[in-house]
Amino acid sequence: MTDGGTAPIESVEVTDVTEDKPRRRRRTGLWLGIGIPGGLLVAGAIAASFVLIAPGVAVAGAPVGFHTAGTAAQAIEQRVNDATISIGGVEVTGEDLGAQVDAEEAATRAFEDHPLWKISDWNPQDPYAPTVTIDDDTAIETLQEQAPDLFVEPVDAEVEFSDGAFVAVAAEPGSGPDLEALAADLSTALVAGDGGITVSADPVDVAATTSTDAAKKQAAALNAATEQVAQSAGFYADDELAVGVSAKTLSRWLNVSPDGHGGFEVTADVSSINDLVGKLPEKVDREAKNVTQIVDTAGNVLEGDDAQDGWTLKDTKGVAETYASTLEGLIVRALDGDDDLKDDLEGGANRFALDVDTVEAEVTTLERRLEVDLGKLQAYAIENDKVVKTFPVSPGKAGSETDQGTFKTYVKLTSQNMGNEDTTEPPYYYTPNVPNVMYFNGSEGFHGTYWHNEFGVQPMSHGCVNMSVADSKWLFDWTPVGTDVWVHA
């Protein structure tokens, strides 16, 4: 007999009452112990009957008769852990598969249903088969190592840049042993005895961690994000865009890979960015563009190109790494729907300032204006307050005098028919092919005149400023639209 009822009685042989043998008289004294004083014998037997499980009881194939619930639980756990299981042509143990059973619950149930004191429940015909569970991660790790042929690895969906846009690459399902069926088979097989257990390895589909739908959503989100971030993106010198970066270029610089949790990780490829950085000197370096501009008296440019400063790119060390870090941050913010991103982009968050030496361009300014002196019958071309050419003119005659005031040339025509072919109708004259017409006040303007030669002699026109054809051509070519004209007496 065990001390305190915590260990099985090893020396007692119990007859299987289910065998077809002649009934014998029970001799309880044989298993309770011989030679123990009568009073102690009875007391010990009674005590044991209330803590031990009846003989012939098995749980998950583990004999637990004459066990307490505690030692029975240990025996059950040991049985599950040590069970030899054949699967896919290899043998593993229950422990290798992470097999688990609620041994305490099973042992408690065995004791409650079959206590030692209840002789009628000895040697039950219904062995317990408690539910066995398997730890998926442990089982997969073991089987992948020892029986790799049981597995076909699933392929995660991916996102790639193709034909100018991010697109999804579909996932491919894999396969592996049906672990739920394996656990069910094991639950049943454990009660069969101590021999090896063979369970099925029927394959089931194993879904990829990253689905095709997830890849499609990520591709669409990335296309929108790169378009947003690409607005005004590029490399800048002196706040001027030197080398722009398009959405397609930004997209090519991004690496998109499954993160192992069903989503994606987006990183910028420093080496790809560095390919462009290496070409920046030839794209950024330029000579200063010096220009001459014709302006009015207020300084407004009437004619001439804009000046362009020259640049010499300095050190590009670390540019690719810095740009990659910035790009990653902006893309992640765009994917997350950051409400502040729009304002930050407008503020230049996607503009990389290059370190350059600047050579300022030279601008030569020519301020031009025209003056007509009606009293002297003279016109003047003035540049930077210096008269560069004087012309004799014939302005409007009496009744159609040329208006006095300050005006601006507003249109230039190389030739125009003036008047009305029907001279019986206003303005009662017709002059075809008038050359070098330059209007400054309604219908009043400078033009060449081939029908008289009274320039500087007397007024002859209907309000225009008549000039020789040669002089009108020179003034026409010299004067931009918008030039100030001052007409006075």
Side-chain angles (χ1 to χ4, degrees):
M1 180 174 179
T2 59
D3 184 8
T6 60
I9 300 175
E10 301 288 350
S11 61
V12 178
E13 179 180 348
V14 180
T15 302
D16 187 345
V17 299
T18 63
E19 293 183 2
D20 188 15
K21 295 181 179 180
R23 185 179 299 275
R24 296 181 180 180
R25 181 178 298 176
R26 297 180 182 270
R27 296 184 180 183
T28 56
L30 291 178
W31 64 269
L32 288 175
I34 298 176
I36 301 175
L40 292 178
L41 181 65
V42 173
I46 293 172
S49 70
F50 287 104
V51 296
L52 299 180
I53 299 172
V57 177
V59 179
V64 295
F66 298 110
H67 282 255
T68 64
T71 59
Q74 295 174 8
I76 296 168
E77 288 183 351
Q78 195 67 40
R79 164 65 171 159
V80 172
N81 286 338
D82 293 346
T84 301
I85 304 162
S86 177
I87 177 173
V90 299
E91 288 190 348
V92 294
T93 65
E95 185 176 12
D96 292 335
L97 297 178
Q100 298 176 356
V101 66
D102 191 343
E104 291 185 1
E105 188 277 335
T108 299
R109 179 183 167 191
F111 172 73
E112 290 176 347
D113 290 352
H114 304 285
L116 180 62
W117 61 264
K118 194 174 181 182
I119 297 176
S120 61
D121 283 341
W122 289 16
N123 299 306
Q125 300 301 305
D126 53 345
Y128 286 8
T131 300
V132 176
T133 61
I134 288 177
D135 181 76
D136 289 354
D137 292 338
T138 302
I140 290 173
E141 182 178 357
T142 295
L143 294 175
Q144 282 182 330
E145 179 180 346
Q146 300 192 34
D149 291 343
L150 295 178
F151 296 87
V152 174
E153 287 296 322
V155 179
D156 281 334
E158 295 182 349
V159 173
E160 66 176 26
F161 188 74
S162 177
D163 295 330
F166 284 105
V167 295
V169 179
E172 297 179 10
S175 62
D178 187 341
L179 298 182
E180 289 188 6
L182 190 157
D185 287 350
L186 184 56
S187 297
T188 302
L190 282 171
V191 303
D194 294 332
I197 297 170
T198 300
V199 295
S200 64
D202 295 335
V204 293
D205 285 344
V206 177
T209 302
T210 305
S211 68
T212 302
D213 284 344
K216 289 180 178 179
K217 291 178 181 178
Q218 184 74 7
L222 276 170
N223 287 328
T226 51
E227 287 290 345
Q228 182 181 12
V229 173
Q231 297 177 25
S232 302
F235 297 90
Y236 284 70
D238 296 338
D239 296 325
E240 182 180 341
L241 179 63
V243 179
V245 180
S246 67
K248 289 184 178 180
T249 299
L250 286 181
S251 299
R252 293 190 186 98
W253 288 349
L254 296 177
N255 293 326
V256 187
S257 56
D259 61 8
H261 303 288
F264 291 87
E265 181 181 13
V266 181
T267 58
D269 185 358
V270 174
S271 62
S272 295
I273 299 173
N274 213 32
D275 288 342
L276 176 62
V277 172
K279 300 175 183 177
L280 283 179
E282 65 186 72
K283 294 178 177 291
V284 174
D285 291 356
R286 71 185 187 192
E287 295 182 355
K289 179 182 178 181
N290 302 325
V291 297
T292 298
Q293 296 177 339
I294 301 173
V295 302
D296 63 11
T297 56
N300 299 311
V301 178
L302 304 179
E303 190 175 284
D305 295 333
D306 292 332
Q308 188 178 72
D309 290 340
W311 296 322
T312 300
L313 184 61
K314 294 160 77 172
D315 189 12
T316 59
K317 183 179 180 180
V319 169
E321 290 79 5
T322 302
Y323 196 93
S325 177
T326 300
L327 176 59
E328 284 180 18
L330 293 175
I331 291 295
V332 168
R333 290 178 63 187
L335 292 174
D336 290 343
D338 189 332
D339 293 335
D340 296 327
L341 179 59
K342 179 180 179 181
D343 291 338
D344 290 345
L345 291 174
E346 291 176 352
N350 55 353
R351 303 173 189 177
F352 189 94
L354 295 170
D355 188 11
V356 297
D357 285 326
T358 302
V359 179
E360 293 187 3
E362 296 180 2
V363 179
T364 300
T365 301
L366 302 177
E367 179 190 287
R368 291 182 179 176
R369 56 190 172 90
L370 301 178
E371 182 180 343
V372 178
D373 188 329
L374 299 177
K376 295 181 179 181
L377 301 179
Q378 297 289 315
Y380 308 96
I382 302 170
E383 184 175 274
N384 293 343
D385 293 327
K386 180 181 178 181
V387 176
V388 296
K389 194 170 181 64
T390 301
F391 313 92
V393 296
S394 180
K397 61 187 177 182
S400 56
E401 293 86 352
T402 303
D403 292 336
Q404 298 184 47
T406 301
F407 313 99
K408 285 182 178 293
T409 58
Y410 67 89
V411 69
K412 295 167 67 175
L413 303 171
T414 56
S415 179
Q416 183 183 24
N417 297 330
M418 292 185 176
N420 191 336
E421 289 187 78
D422 183 358
T423 56
T424 63
E425 298 289 335
Y428 307 111
Y429 70 89
Y430 178 68
T431 308
N433 303 318
V434 177
N436 308 315
V437 181
M438 188 163 54
Y439 288 105
F440 60 83
N441 178 32
S443 60
E444 297 179 352
F446 300 95
H447 61 74
T449 305
Y450 56 80
W451 54 92
H452 73 78
N453 195 28
E454 298 297 315
F455 315 117
V457 178
Q458 62 177 326
M460 290 288 290
S461 77
H462 294 89
C464 288
V465 179
N466 290 181
M467 309 174 68
S468 71
V469 173
D471 285 347
S472 70
K473 179 66 167 66
W474 187 96
L475 190 66
F476 187 92
D477 293 339
W478 185 85
T479 306
V481 171
T483 300
D484 295 287
V485 180
W486 178 33
V487 181
H488 62 89

